[in-house]
């Protein structure tokens, strides 16, 4: 009898949770969007020259105002075009406002306001507890407004100091995450966004039960409070060894991989690479500009330099005039913003 009572209680608890999720899904799912991107990519075939091709991308995102959408940084790395598809079939182009590669979060802005938008609120991710129930809405493999649920398996934090380029805070979960889910919201049972879906750990290539989402608190700090502008380039941080291999005249620098022509960097004339190469077993695009510094700030990996760089970048919206020192074809040149 006691065993039967326990089973009935467990079943009733499951039914209540299912009803709660169904109700919450109906309320928040209209705020979740599908993001389609087009990017230029360098492709090299054996015995051939490198060619530029257009690569289409897919991800998810969610609305926080009538024009602003949060997504993952890797969904909108260097997009030439962004189109946002809403649940009712409306499609609106967008552009990147801000992006943090390490934290894997980005803010994009619609070209026009969404009429009668459904938006969601960012919750307090610091209040999450291991074992707490969460759910994810996104577009796995392009299947829009798909829900998966699970639990918080862990919280992973690294570099919680002032330096925004190394700060990461990820929520680990067993909720199913697949291609196309990236950038979608992770909700608590209050219907608040507590995470932005980022990546999975997988042995099979599919979902193996370990997924990660950037915390909502870090997204609030970096995207809504600091508001660092998107410069429009995909860059690789060169190590001291890599700088020596490329004859770079300093210990650390930024190798520009790809640049969006319409971006801040694109308008300055900063050039991306044009040939694929491998350095330290890592595939890179070579031949582009190597950034040595901004204004009077020489690039290196010390906290002091990176904090100065963060302060400088956050000031660009108020003072858009600045210079970038680059290493190009064996020469050091200075480019000015326009």
């Amino acid at each position: 009898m006691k065993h039967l009572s326990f089973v009935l209680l467990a079943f009733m608890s499951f039914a209540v949770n299912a009803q709660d999720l169904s109700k919450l899904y109906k309320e928040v799912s209209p705020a979740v969007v599908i993001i389609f991107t087009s990017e230029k990519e360098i492709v090299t075939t054996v015995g051939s020259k490198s060619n530029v091709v257009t690569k289409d991308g897919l991800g998810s995102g969610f609305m926080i105002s009538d024009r602003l959408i949060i997504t993952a940084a890797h969904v909108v790395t260097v997009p030439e075009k962004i189109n946002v598809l809403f649940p009712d079939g409306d499609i609106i182009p967008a552009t990147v406002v801000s992006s943090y590669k390490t934290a894997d979060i980005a803010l994009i802005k619609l070209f026009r306001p969404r009429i009668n938008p459904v938006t969601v609120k960012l919750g307090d991710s610091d209040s999450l507890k291991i074992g707490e129930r969460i759910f994810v809405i996104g577009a796995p493999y392009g299947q829009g407004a798909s829900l998966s649920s699970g639990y918080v398996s862990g919280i992973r934090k690294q570099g919680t100091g002032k330096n925004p380029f190394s700060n990461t805070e990820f929520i680990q979960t067993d909720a199913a995450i697949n291609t196309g889910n990236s950038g979608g919201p992770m909700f608590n049972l209050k219907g608040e966004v507590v995470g932005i879906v980022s990546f999975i750990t997988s042995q099979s290539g599919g979902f193996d039960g370990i997924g990660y989402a950037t915390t909502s608190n870090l997204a609030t700090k970096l995207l809504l409070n600091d508001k660092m502008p998107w410069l429009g380039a995909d860059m690789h941080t060169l190590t001291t060894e890599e700088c020596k291999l490329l004859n770079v005249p300093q210990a650390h620098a930024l190798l520009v991989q790809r640049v969006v022509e319409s971006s801040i960097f694109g308008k300055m004339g900063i050039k991306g690479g044009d040939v694929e190469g491998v350095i330290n077993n890592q595939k890179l695009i070579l031949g582009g500009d190597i950034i040595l510094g901004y204004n009077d700030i020489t690039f290196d990996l010390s906290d002091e330099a990176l904090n100065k760089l963060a302060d400088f970048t956050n000031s660009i919206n108020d003072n858009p005039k600045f210079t970038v020192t680059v290493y190009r074809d064996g020469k050091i040149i200075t480019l000015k913003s326009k």
Side-chain angles (χ1 to χ4, degrees):
M1 188 68 180
K2 289 182 179 179
H3 178 70
L4 179 60
S5 297
F6 175 79
V7 171
L8 287 173
L9 285 172
F11 178 77
M12 289 174 64
S13 176
F14 175 80
V16 169
N17 283 333
Q19 290 174 1
D20 288 344
L21 282 185
S22 179
K23 182 180 178 181
L24 285 170
Y25 173 82
K26 187 175 181 180
E27 292 175 356
V28 301
S29 61
V32 183
V33 301
I34 304 177
I35 298 172
F36 296 98
T37 62
S38 294
E39 297 182 353
K40 291 180 179 178
E41 187 175 67
I42 304 294
V43 175
T44 303
T45 56
V46 178
S48 304
K49 294 182 179 180
S50 296
N51 297 305
V52 179
V53 299
T54 299
K55 177 183 177 183
D56 294 329
L58 169 71
S60 303
F62 57 95
M63 296 201 71
I64 59 171
S65 77
D66 63 349
R67 293 189 69 178
L68 295 177
I69 292 168
I70 291 178
T71 185
H74 75 266
V75 172
V76 290
T77 305
V78 280
E80 297 293 336
K81 291 182 181 179
I82 301 175
N83 282 312
V84 178
L85 173 64
F86 292 87
D88 63 0
D90 191 18
I91 297 176
I92 305 178
T95 186
V96 183
V97 174
S98 184
S99 179
Y100 289 83
K101 185 176 182 179
T102 305
D104 197 21
I105 46 176
L107 185 69
I108 66 175
K109 186 176 184 179
L110 300 173
F111 280 14
R112 62 173 171 83
R114 167 78 166 158
I115 299 173
N116 298 321
V118 175
T119 62
V120 287
K121 294 181 179 180
L122 292 167
D124 179 11
S125 53
D126 285 344
S127 67
L128 285 175
K129 296 179 176 60
I130 307 300
E132 184 172 337
R133 185 84 178 271
I134 53 85
F135 66 100
V136 170
I137 299 178
Y141 302 106
Q143 303 300 313
S146 295
L147 179 146
S148 61
S149 67
Y151 297 88
V152 175
S153 308
I155 306 291
R156 315 296 179 193
K157 295 186 179 183
Q158 180 179 345
T160 55
K162 288 181 61 179
N163 175 11
F165 301 107
S166 62
N167 285 353
T168 62
E169 291 183 5
F170 292 106
I171 303 162
Q172 182 183 325
T173 182
D174 63 346
I177 293 171
N178 288 289
T179 300
N181 271 120
S182 293
M186 172 188 286
F187 293 96
N188 60 21
L189 294 187
K190 296 178 183 177
E192 300 168 333
V193 177
V194 290
I196 297 90
V197 174
S198 179
F199 66 100
I200 62 172
T201 298
S202 175
Q203 298 294 325
S204 65
F207 183 67
D208 287 350
I210 302 177
Y212 295 90
T214 304
T215 65
S216 57
N217 284 6
L218 186 60
T220 298
K221 179 183 183 302
L222 297 180
L223 297 179
L224 305 183
N225 295 342
D226 291 352
K227 298 181 181 179
M228 183 180 293
W230 179 65
L231 297 175
D234 180 18
M235 297 178 283
H236 168 73
T237 300
L238 293 170
T239 64
T240 300
E241 181 184 1
E242 291 168 343
C243 282
K244 288 180 180 178
L245 289 172
L246 296 174
N247 295 316
V248 178
Q250 61 188 51
H252 297 284
L254 294 167
L255 174 64
V256 180
Q257 305 280 280
R258 295 173 293 167
V259 181
V260 176
E261 293 180 4
S262 60
S263 68
I264 295 173
F265 269 7
K267 293 176 181 177
M268 290 180 72
I270 291 177
K271 297 181 178 180
D274 56 7
V275 62
E276 287 185 321
V278 178
I279 299 179
N280 290 335
N281 296 319
Q282 183 172 4
K283 188 168 76 171
L284 297 171
I285 304 173
L286 304 175
D289 286 337
I290 297 174
I291 295 176
L292 304 178
Y294 300 82
N295 285 352
D296 58 347
I297 306 168
T298 299
F299 181 82
D300 66 52
L301 298 181
S302 68
D303 280 341
E304 181 182 2
L306 292 175
N307 286 331
K308 285 182 179 179
L309 183 58
D311 290 340
F312 152 72
T313 313
N314 283 326
S315 71
I316 288 178
N317 285 329
D318 298 323
N319 182 22
K321 299 297 181 182
F322 63 95
T323 61
V324 178
T325 304
V326 303
Y327 187 60
R328 180 189 293 175
D329 298 329
K331 298 179 182 179
I332 297 176
I333 63 173
T334 299
L335 302 172
K336 296 182 178 180
S337 60
K338 297 181 179 180

